[in-house]
Amino acid sequence: DDKLIGTPCDDGDLCTVNDVYTTDCKCEGVTDNNISVSAIEDAYLQGGNGNNNNVLRIENGNRVAYIKYDIIKITEPIKGVSLVLTTKTDSGDGTINVYLSNNTNWTENNISAANAPDSSNLVGSINSTYTENNSYTIKLKDVVDTTAPFTLILEQAPGGNDVAFASSEFDDEKSRPVLSVNLETCSLSTSDPVINDQLAFYPNPVKDQLTINYKGNASNIEINIFDTMGKKIIETSLTSNTANLDLSHIASGMYLVSVTDKTTGSTGFKKLIKE
């Protein structure tokens, strides 16, 4: 049916995204080895005083931003890491330098000139005009140590106009600062084909409400939804063959829906895209 060409499907490969039917009747997706990691904490200093609100302001000689990340849960080899920032409330221009520090002895509520990490290890830089609501990607070097949390320090070089980026408190989750981590390979959990064939859900991509159908015996079935870091977002048990889940509160991105038969221990997985 030519009307299916380009429409969403599931190719059964947990390491691909944007699966669609091709012109030769195959369901195929694009391999995605990238995962997004949210900030643990972030704030900025102005005049030596900490500020924790919905933006990170950066100004040469006056404002410095600090973002704390933790990628210890990533067990696969990391190919590359980038910092993605979105301009909000105040456009600007010039060079933004990113420094790496192992000092995480600060919080977004107590950061000050006394406990702020040192900015001596330059790991990335960008020179641009920063327009409101646009996102900017800064490639970072040497950010592959997954044994402990770390801090990124953002400073503006002389000659630039101050700028504000969305912080982790910004209302629009898509605008918040994230690390885009590119893995060497994708090795997500394998899926039991028998269990997997009995699991169906729609719509996919989903915006708010997800309907899950399970064709087998639903009396001892557990449904879980995980993000790409392996964190469990939702856990529920089926009371019938159909369940409705409210996903309006979770961030956009790729997730894994798992169905586990608690009697046999078998688990099936399918990908879910949240708009």
Side-chain angles (χ1 to χ4, degrees):
D1 184 352
D2 287 345
K3 294 181 180 179
L4 291 177
I5 296 173
T7 61
C9 57
D10 187 351
D11 65 1
D13 186 346
L14 297 177
C15 294
T16 61
V17 295
N18 301 324
D19 304 344
V20 296
Y21 288 109
T22 65
T23 54
D24 55 356
C25 302
K26 294 181 180 179
C27 179
E28 295 181 347
V30 178
T31 300
D32 186 6
N33 293 345
N34 293 293
I35 60 176
S36 294
V37 180
S38 300
I40 301 174
E41 296 185 280
D42 55 14
Y44 70 93
L45 288 182
Q46 180 173 351
N49 298 316
N51 294 267
N52 178 33
N53 49 49
N54 67 345
V55 293
L56 297 170
R57 297 190 178 276
I58 306 170
E59 182 181 11
N60 176 48
N62 187 34
R63 298 163 173 166
V64 179
Y66 301 84
I67 314 177
K68 190 184 300 183
Y69 286 102
D70 185 359
I71 54 177
I72 193 172
K73 292 182 180 179
I74 300 177
T75 58
E76 297 300 315
I78 296 175
K79 187 176 182 181
V81 178
S82 298
L83 176 64
V84 182
L85 303 169
T86 301
T87 307
K88 291 291 182 180
T89 73
D90 188 9
S91 300
D93 58 53
T95 298
I96 301 294
N97 292 321
V98 182
Y99 300 87
L100 172 68
S101 173
N102 292 325
N103 176 9
T104 57
N105 296 322
W106 60 274
T107 71
E108 56 190 19
N109 294 316
N110 74 5
I111 191 167
S112 66
N115 64 8
D118 175 59
S119 56
S120 59
N121 182 17
L122 181 67
V123 293
S125 182
I126 184 174
N127 188 332
S128 181
T129 297
Y130 310 103
T131 306
E132 188 167 355
N133 298 322
N134 284 343
S135 296
Y136 301 87
T137 300
I138 309 172
K139 292 184 178 180
L140 306 179
K141 63 178 182 179
D142 302 328
V143 187
V144 295
D145 183 4
T146 60
T147 61
F150 55 86
T151 300
L152 296 179
I153 304 106
L154 282 65
E155 296 184 356
Q156 186 176 49
N161 184 25
D162 64 296
V163 60
F165 297 107
S167 75
S168 58
E169 284 79 25
F170 201 83
D171 290 340
D172 180 10
E173 293 185 3
K174 295 180 181 179
S175 300
R176 297 172 182 175
V178 297
L179 279 186
S180 178
V181 181
N182 181 247
L183 305 180
E184 292 283 357
T185 59
C186 176
S187 60
L188 298 173
S189 301
T190 57
S191 184
D192 185 296
V194 176
I195 296 293
N196 195 65
D197 286 345
Q198 298 183 88
L199 172 65
F201 51 79
Y202 58 87
N204 189 19
V206 61
K207 184 176 182 180
D208 294 318
Q209 299 294 321
L210 181 71
T211 299
I212 295 178
N213 287 331
Y214 185 68
K215 299 177 183 177
N217 184 356
S219 61
N220 205 26
I221 296 298
E222 182 179 84
I223 300 291
N224 295 301
I225 298 181
F226 300 88
D227 63 16
T228 53
M229 290 287 290
K231 180 181 178 181
K232 187 183 295 184
I233 303 300
I234 292 176
E235 178 180 352
T236 187
S237 295
L238 293 182
T239 57
S240 65
N241 290 93
T242 301
N244 294 311
L245 297 179
D246 180 13
L247 304 184
S248 60
H249 61 288
I250 69 174
S252 301
M254 187 179 80
Y255 295 85
L256 292 182
V257 178
S258 75
V259 53
T260 300
D261 186 330
K262 292 186 287 186
T263 301
T264 65
S266 298
T267 300
F269 292 93
K270 285 193 175 183
K271 291 174 297 181
L272 172 69
I273 304 298
K274 173 65 167 60
E275 292 182 332

